Amino acid sequence: MVSPYAAILLSMQVAVVATALGLPAAMGVAWVLARRRFPGKALLAALVSAPLVLPPVVTGLVLLRVFGRTGPFGAWLDALGVPVVFSWLGAMVAALVVGFPLFVLTLRAAFETVDPRYEDVSRTLGVPPAATWRRITLPLAGPGVLAAISLAFARALGEFGATAVLAGNTEGRTRTIALAVYTLLETPDGEGRIRLLVGASMVLSLGALAAFEVLVRRQRRRLELDDA
């Protein structure tokens, strides 16, 4: 039995947790790419962006190899009693990995809009780098950061291919909106539930994308005022 409401709730939980856990790492990687020059920077950027261009099923297969019971992380996590494959955690990991490139790309663009001279002035006044980042860089990049969160949430919400491979399609545990719709396509009386799931998906995703657009415009207006 496919429960649309369980799938909607599970998708929202997976997207929220994946976005929240991915934010610190994405901010760190994005800031390094935006502000630092080092050997291998192009390779790092390519690796981060890889899930964006790889077929989601391929990404899921790679994650299955990494987090499976014989994988480098899977064996260790399984010994701790935290299995990833065919679990809610697997759905969250798949959503996080597939959405991570959009997170980093949007955050990088946000950090690159911040004039580094503000940070230089702060440091010359004796403010520690961490405090400079927290008081200067982050507030100036604020709308872009929120836009990145909105975009990453929308991508995590619609994840399908990697989730199906890594987490499976178990009712109440890993069956997200996309997987529920796929399952109901083969059910003779599933049309009404499909419409409910599609409607919920469109409302949630378009709402997140609308927030992204508003925040991007706000960031653009702020930059225009700074240049004036």
Side-chain angles (χ1 to χ4, degrees):
M1 179 66 179
V2 178
S3 171
Y5 298 104
I8 293 168
L9 180 60
L10 179 64
S11 292
M12 292 183 64
Q13 291 173 340
V14 166
V16 168
V17 175
T19 303
L21 292 181
L23 179 60
M27 291 184 75
V29 173
W31 186 84
V32 168
L33 291 174
R35 285 288 188 265
R36 292 288 183 261
R37 294 182 178 179
F38 55 90
K41 180 178 178 178
L43 177 60
L44 174 61
L47 289 174
V48 168
S49 301
L52 195 62
V53 296
L54 287 173
V57 173
V58 173
T59 301
L61 184 60
V62 172
L63 291 175
L64 188 62
R65 294 289 183 265
V66 172
F67 290 102
R69 290 188 174 182
T70 59
F73 293 104
W76 176 66
L77 290 171
D78 196 60
L80 295 175
V82 188
V84 175
V85 178
F86 304 129
S87 69
W88 184 91
L89 183 59
M92 186 277 297
V93 169
L96 190 158
V97 170
V98 173
F100 195 74
L102 292 176
F103 227 154
V104 172
L105 291 172
T106 312
L107 286 169
R108 180 181 181 180
F111 290 138
E112 287 176 343
T113 63
V114 178
D115 192 333
R117 289 177 297 181
Y118 295 131
E119 299 167 336
D120 294 338
V121 170
S122 176
R123 283 190 288 267
T124 58
L125 294 175
V127 180
T132 296
W133 187 86
R134 187 177 64 254
R135 298 174 185 174
I136 304 296
T137 308
L138 187 58
L140 291 175
V145 172
L146 294 176
I149 292 173
S150 300
L151 191 59
F153 173 81
R155 182 63 188 88
L157 195 66
E159 165 51 30
F160 172 75
T163 303
V165 174
L166 182 64
N169 186 11
T170 305
E171 175 65 27
R173 293 183 59 193
T174 65
R175 182 171 289 165
T176 58
I177 291 176
L179 289 166
V181 170
Y182 178 76
T183 303
L184 287 169
L185 287 174
E186 301 178 354
T187 305
D189 60 345
E191 184 64 29
R193 284 173 288 172
I194 287 177
R195 284 198 296 267
L196 175 60
L197 289 166
V198 170
S201 178
M202 291 182 66
V203 168
L204 292 169
S205 299
L206 292 177
L209 291 174
F212 168 78
E213 184 64 26
V214 169
L215 291 164
V216 167
R217 289 184 179 182
R218 183 176 299 177
Q219 182 82 342
R220 190 178 297 121
R221 285 197 299 268
R222 186 190 64 76
L223 291 173
E224 291 172 351
L225 289 174
D226 289 344
D227 293 338

